[in-house]
Amino acid sequence: MAEQHQFERGTDGPKVIVVGVDGSDSSWHAASYAAGLARRQHALLAVVYVQPVLAAGAALGAPVAETTDEIAEDLVAQIRDAAERLKGIFEVRWEFHTFRGDPYTGLTKAADELKADAVVVGASEQAGHRFIGSVAIRLVKAGRWPVTVVP
């Protein structure tokens, strides 16, 4: 007689989903997709903004750190607003993190430090990435996490 297998519901999915946001439309699409995935899997959604670091003198005296901090604060405000609107309808556990560096290095560091089970990013909106490689392609090539690229 064949042994009957009991199906385990909801235990095999990711526990931490990292999504990169930078304010672009594709990153918001990625965040929406990742939030739905996190909700269905009862996973933690780690929303990551990577603050660019410019070489000394590249900013020509502009307060770059303050500008990127303002972007991060604006992103958090938009995420909180969306979470508040959905409260009671869709519940998602989420955290917001900022890392410094280029997007690939920042997301890699975030995924490693946050022990990500999956990474979600928006498709690149920059034409030049077709030639030099997008952040998404580099993350996939790293081969350390499942990567979902959202248009």
Side-chain angles (χ1 to χ4, degrees):
M1 182 139 91
E3 191 176 314
Q4 204 171 24
H5 179 70
Q6 176 100 16
F7 179 71
E8 295 180 63
R9 185 179 179 101
T11 57
D12 294 336
K15 297 297 176 220
V16 177
I17 299 168
V18 167
V19 61
V21 295
D22 60 8
S24 67
D25 286 346
S26 67
S27 79
W28 287 123
H29 296 163
S32 295
Y33 178 90
L37 184 60
R39 179 183 57 81
R40 289 186 299 278
Q41 297 291 335
H42 305 289
L44 173 67
L45 177 63
V47 181
V48 174
Y49 168 60
V50 180
Q51 294 183 331
V53 175
L54 299 179
L60 300 174
V64 175
E66 288 177 24
T67 302
T68 58
D69 286 344
E70 287 171 17
I71 292 169
E73 289 169 16
D74 183 52
L75 292 172
V76 170
Q78 290 181 57
I79 295 163
R80 279 203 176 107
D81 183 49
E84 197 58 39
R85 283 194 315 267
L86 296 174
K87 205 171 205 158
I89 302 169
F90 297 118
E91 297 294 331
V92 176
R93 290 180 306 125
W94 65 276
E95 301 174 348
F96 184 82
H97 299 270
T98 58
F99 287 81
R100 293 192 182 275
D102 66 275
Y104 170 76
T105 304
L107 286 172
T108 299
K109 184 175 179 184
D112 284 343
E113 287 186 14
L114 299 170
K115 297 180 178 21
D117 297 301
V119 177
V120 180
V121 293
S124 175
E125 296 178 354
Q126 296 179 0
H129 284 175
R130 280 178 267 175
F131 304 107
I132 60 171
S134 69
V135 172
I137 289 170
R138 293 174 67 195
L139 288 168
V140 169
K141 286 183 177 179
R144 301 208 309 252
W145 328 266
V147 177
T148 303
V149 183
V150 180

